[in-house]
Amino acid sequence: MAGTFNNARGFHIDHCEIVTVLNPSADPLSKLQAQIAAGAIHDSRERCDAPKCHPKTRVAVQDDLYSWIVNGDGESECPRDIQWVTGPAGTGKTAVMGSLADRCAADGVLGATFFFASWSASIGRRRKTAFVTTIAHQLARYREDLQTAISTAVEKNTDVFEKNLHVQMENLVLSPLREVVRQSDGPGLRGAIIIDGLDECEAEQYHDTTGTGAQDKPVRTDAQDQLEILQVLQAASSDPSFPFRILIASRPERVFREFFDPENNPTPFAHKLDLNEDYNADADITLFLEAQFNLLRRRYHFPPSWPPPGTLQTLVKNASGQFIYAATVIRVLNAGRPERPKALLDAILKIGSKVNSNPLKQLDLLYSHILESSPDPLLSIRWIRAFAWANNASNASASNVTMLLQTDRESDEAEHLLGNLYSLIWIPPPGDQATSKYKVYHKSLFDFLSDPGRCGKLYLEISERNVFIWDSFIRACTSEFDSTSKLVSFLI
């Protein structure tokens, strides 16, 4: 089951997921491939538009991480094979990890990647289930002798896919690596395993098989599953046969702070790199803005004097190291709305005129400004919050979601509500709406909308969202729409 919606009136709707039935006669590597989260791999089709570092930006941090992957800690008395890359939402962690993965792949030193994403329709990118199998699948393609060893391991351990992550890591990764090290007389293995967005991993919930009722079973938390993955990776890195350096990128949530805290470990095993504290992002944000304003000038035939002197410095100051602020500003100016970029930029500069020590304040003001440009901000936010729920369904295309949420089939309600929000939401073009989904550009928007202290009057309780979705479902089921049966199949 991919997800359950519990509405405020006591009903529930389950999203169903198709379970792959393995062919007993399939070769071992085909069986392994059937268990992976393909969209989590760095160069997957699902990540074709994933953020990457703008050319000439984040060079220092990428060089430092790459040097550590290739050269390690040098002659350090206490070498560490794990690096935790952290920072608040919007500091560019995923862009750095994506660009670094591409660089490592080009140089032949990329072992495997896994990019978690809480917004993904693929349950494999949201949970731990396919984590080890996806890593093993990529390692099997890394070198021929390792492929043979992993294939043998799958063949010998026919029930390995039903085991916990520790057993899977031992059987599918560590044991094959030991075999390769034992038999190999060629060059030693080396490289990187890159894990991004581990803080977005959602808890795996298990069916109650005791007959006592789900209410008697403890509910796993996201932090528990995230900790399990961290422990599996730590155990792997401590194995003498494990040759890879591990990079883990996440926000500084409590489970990560405690796990990587040197005071909690008698023998420190990891480095910490804070993108917000260890690197001054201002110069990189300036480079990004300069390049984007050059494009805008050419597109709109603006004079070299635009933007006015001091504008870039103001925007960089307002960003407070948050790349997402600069990226959102540029998307506003590029949104293709009737307003000219000059007027839009003036409005952005006005809302950022207040000085505040909170580094997220300017981003919050920008999000508020954009959302309030909708003709009905609260209804637009109901739609946006519904996207997060609906996108857990595999067939939640933009057209299906629109069909569910709209109140008038004859009007273009989606364009009316979301037309001014193109800088926050990717809206598929009309010809692609039957196959593509609505997508929020950055998770920080949901962080903003989920905190009443940040979004103020734009805050929406989860119960209000649930009632909105449920009422939409009832309205659709009782309507005369020709496509009602299709809509019901999307929901149930």
Side-chain angles (χ1 to χ4, degrees):
M1 185 176 294
T4 299
F5 161 55
N6 293 300
N7 72 83
R9 299 178 183 176
F11 298 93
H12 73 272
I13 302 168
D14 293 333
H15 291 319
C16 296
E17 179 173 285
I18 296 175
V19 178
T20 302
V21 179
L22 297 180
N23 180 357
S25 63
D27 70 90
L29 293 179
S30 294
K31 292 179 181 179
L32 176 62
Q33 185 171 359
Q35 297 289 330
I36 72 169
I41 300 174
H42 76 285
D43 58 355
S44 69
R45 179 175 58 189
E46 186 172 322
R47 298 194 71 255
C48 64
D49 59 350
K52 297 289 177 64
C53 295
H54 191 271
K56 299 183 180 180
T57 66
R58 312 318 293 262
V59 173
V61 63
Q62 289 187 68
D63 284 349
D64 286 351
L65 291 172
Y66 184 82
S67 175
W68 173 76
I69 290 168
V70 174
N71 302 314
D73 296 324
E75 299 181 0
S76 171
E77 295 182 1
C78 185
R80 305 177 191 186
D81 293 327
I82 295 180
Q83 185 121 213
W84 177 37
V85 180
T86 188
T91 48
K93 299 181 294 297
T94 296
V96 169
M97 293 298 100
S99 295
L100 184 64
D102 287 346
R103 180 176 177 180
C104 290
D107 292 347
V109 292
L110 183 65
T113 56
F114 198 105
F115 283 72
F116 286 95
S118 60
W119 52 263
S120 175
S122 167
I123 196 170
R125 290 192 67 185
R126 305 197 311 270
R127 295 184 179 175
K128 69 180 183 182
T129 314
F131 177 72
V132 173
T133 54
T134 305
I135 299 298
H137 167 72
Q138 293 170 84
L139 293 179
R141 299 183 300 174
Y142 191 58
R143 219 167 76 170
E144 188 173 350
D145 52 358
L146 189 52
Q147 180 182 93
T148 301
I150 291 174
S151 177
T152 301
V154 174
E155 198 166 23
K156 287 172 58 178
N157 301 277
T158 55
D159 61 345
V160 68
F161 304 127
E162 304 303 320
K163 300 298 185 180
N164 63 51
L165 296 189
H166 290 273
V167 174
Q168 289 187 1
M169 180 63 78
E170 171 62 31
N171 290 340
L172 297 177
V173 176
L174 296 178
S175 180
L177 281 170
R178 294 189 199 106
E179 184 67 19
V180 167
V181 170
R182 184 178 67 84
Q183 295 184 355
S184 177
D185 55 1
L189 286 163
R190 64 167 186 161
I193 292 178
I194 297 175
I195 315 300
D196 180 70
L198 184 49
D199 55 290
E200 297 189 38
C201 177
E202 300 173 355
E204 186 80 65
Q205 301 301 334
Y206 306 103
H207 294 291
D208 178 23
T209 59
T210 65
T212 58
Q215 68 273 14
D216 298 319
K217 291 187 62 115
V219 176
R220 284 186 68 85
T221 65
D222 295 349
Q224 285 177 310
D225 278 8
Q226 293 161 12
L227 178 60
E228 183 180 354
I229 292 174
L230 290 171
Q231 292 169 338
V232 166
L233 292 171
Q234 181 189 11
S237 71
S238 64
D239 190 292
S241 298
F242 191 81
F244 300 102
R245 306 200 188 279
I246 300 173
L247 286 91
I248 302 169
S250 77
R251 292 187 297 176
E253 311 294 12
R254 181 178 178 179
V255 63
F256 298 95
R257 296 197 311 271
E258 293 181 349
F259 184 79
F260 289 110
D261 188 343
E263 295 184 3
N264 295 336
N265 300 283
T267 304
F269 61 90
H271 294 288
K272 173 187 174 184
L273 188 154
D274 191 317
L275 291 180
N276 198 45
E277 296 178 359
D278 299 338
Y279 292 87
N280 185 347
D282 288 359
D284 288 336
I285 293 174
T286 300
L287 281 172
F288 170 75
L289 290 173
E290 285 175 345
Q292 295 301 315
F293 276 112
N294 283 337
L295 293 175
L296 286 166
R297 273 195 296 270
R298 288 195 291 271
R299 177 180 300 171
Y300 291 97
H301 307 291
F302 289 160
S305 58
W306 185 85
T311 297
L312 263 63
Q313 293 88 328
T314 299
L315 292 174
V316 171
K317 180 181 178 182
N318 290 348
S320 299
Q322 309 292 304
F323 264 86
I324 187 59
Y325 175 89
T328 303
V329 167
I330 295 303
R331 279 200 296 267
V332 170
L333 303 183
N334 271 324
R337 308 310 300 165
E339 298 88 349
R340 299 276 285 180
K342 288 183 177 180
L344 293 170
L345 179 60
D346 289 343
I348 290 171
L349 293 173
K350 287 179 181 177
I351 65 172
S353 61
K354 297 181 179 179
V355 177
N356 191 294
S357 59
N358 178 2
L360 294 176
K361 185 62 178 179
Q362 297 296 339
L363 181 61
D364 293 351
L365 288 171
L366 180 59
Y367 280 161
S368 296
H369 173 73
I370 297 170
L371 290 166
E372 288 171 358
S373 70
S374 166
D376 191 337
L378 291 179
L379 183 54
S380 296
I381 290 168
R382 283 178 167 83
W383 277 59
I384 293 171
R385 296 293 293 273
F387 295 163
W389 168 79
N391 280 354
N392 290 338
S394 60
N395 57 343
S397 65
S399 59
N400 277 344
V401 173
T402 299
M403 192 190 313
L404 170 66
L405 301 181
Q406 66 188 358
T407 57
D408 183 358
R409 191 185 184 192
E410 302 303 322
S411 66
D412 192 350
E413 191 170 349
E415 176 62 27
H416 173 70
L417 291 172
L418 307 176
N420 288 344
L421 309 184
Y422 275 65
S423 56
L424 304 180
I425 304 162
W426 183 74
I427 300 176
D432 296 336
Q433 296 216 350
T435 56
S436 300
K437 299 184 178 187
Y438 291 115
K439 185 171 69 174
V440 172
Y441 280 114
H442 199 271
K443 187 175 181 290
S444 60
L445 177 62
F446 287 126
D447 295 337
F448 167 73
L449 292 173
S450 300
D451 187 342
R454 292 178 61 185
C455 67
K457 63 184 181 181
L458 299 176
Y459 179 68
L460 181 72
E461 295 279 358
I462 289 293
S463 59
E464 295 179 75
R465 182 207 68 174
N466 290 350
V467 168
F468 172 66
I469 296 172
W470 183 248
D471 287 346
S472 298
F473 173 71
I474 295 298
R475 181 177 60 251
C477 288
T478 57
S479 72
E480 298 299 325
F481 289 5
D482 295 335
S483 302
T484 298
S485 59
K486 179 181 177 183
L487 176 63
V488 173
S489 67
F490 145 58
L491 287 167
I492 299 177

